[in-house]
């Protein structure tokens, strides 16, 4: 699990690799302060659910990798604010 504000003070981070971390849940708000993130890798985890607002703060995200998880449910507005997203893998 990634807690809210886990990446506080990392405003200039552009790539975040969280592959193979046995993550099961992403708190909405856990990516707060990562407004310059362009690539987020979440492959090979155990994520089952992507709630609304999970990625709301990632306004510059271009690539989202979520392969090989246990996704059962993706809420309707999960990707709503990702206007710059080019690749969903």
């Amino acid at each position: 699990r990634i807690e809210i504000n886990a990446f506080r003070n990392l405003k200039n981070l552009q790539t975040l690799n969280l592959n193979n971390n046995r993550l099961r849940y992403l708190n909405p708000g856990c990516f707060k302060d990562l407004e310059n993130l362009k690539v987020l890798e979440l492959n090979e985890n155990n994520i089952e659910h992507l709630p609304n607002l999970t990625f709301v703060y990632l306004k510059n995200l271009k690539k989202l990798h979520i392969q090989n998880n246990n996704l059962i449910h993706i809420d309707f507005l999960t990707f709503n604010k990702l206007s710059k997203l080019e690749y969903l893998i």
Side-chain angles (χ1 to χ4, degrees):
R1 164 178 231 153
I2 299 175
E3 297 300 327
I4 295 172
N5 295 321
F7 303 107
R8 189 178 354 179
N9 300 322
L10 295 175
K11 293 180 191 264
N12 294 318
L13 190 68
Q14 293 190 8
T15 300
L16 180 58
N17 183 330
L18 295 171
N19 295 336
N20 296 301
N21 277 289
R22 298 182 188 159
L23 297 173
R24 301 186 99 209
Y25 181 76
L26 301 174
N27 267 314
C30 69
F31 299 115
K32 188 176 179 184
D33 291 332
L34 294 178
E35 63 248 11
N36 291 308
L37 196 71
K38 291 183 175 28
V39 178
L40 177 57
E41 298 184 23
L42 295 166
N43 296 323
E44 305 287 339
N45 282 293
N46 298 314
I47 300 167
E48 296 178 351
H49 177 221
L50 291 175
N52 287 329
L53 307 177
T54 300
F55 306 113
V56 71
Y57 298 103
L58 302 179
K59 59 185 177 184
N60 289 303
L61 194 69
K62 291 185 177 185
K63 295 182 182 180
L64 176 58
H65 301 261
I66 53 173
Q67 291 178 293
N68 298 320
N69 279 282
N70 298 324
L71 282 171
I72 297 168
H73 187 79
I74 299 173
D75 286 346
F76 182 71
L77 298 174
T78 298
F79 305 113
N80 190 45
K81 298 292 183 181
L82 298 179
S83 61
K84 295 187 180 180
L85 190 67
E86 297 173 2
Y87 300 98
L88 177 60
I89 303 167

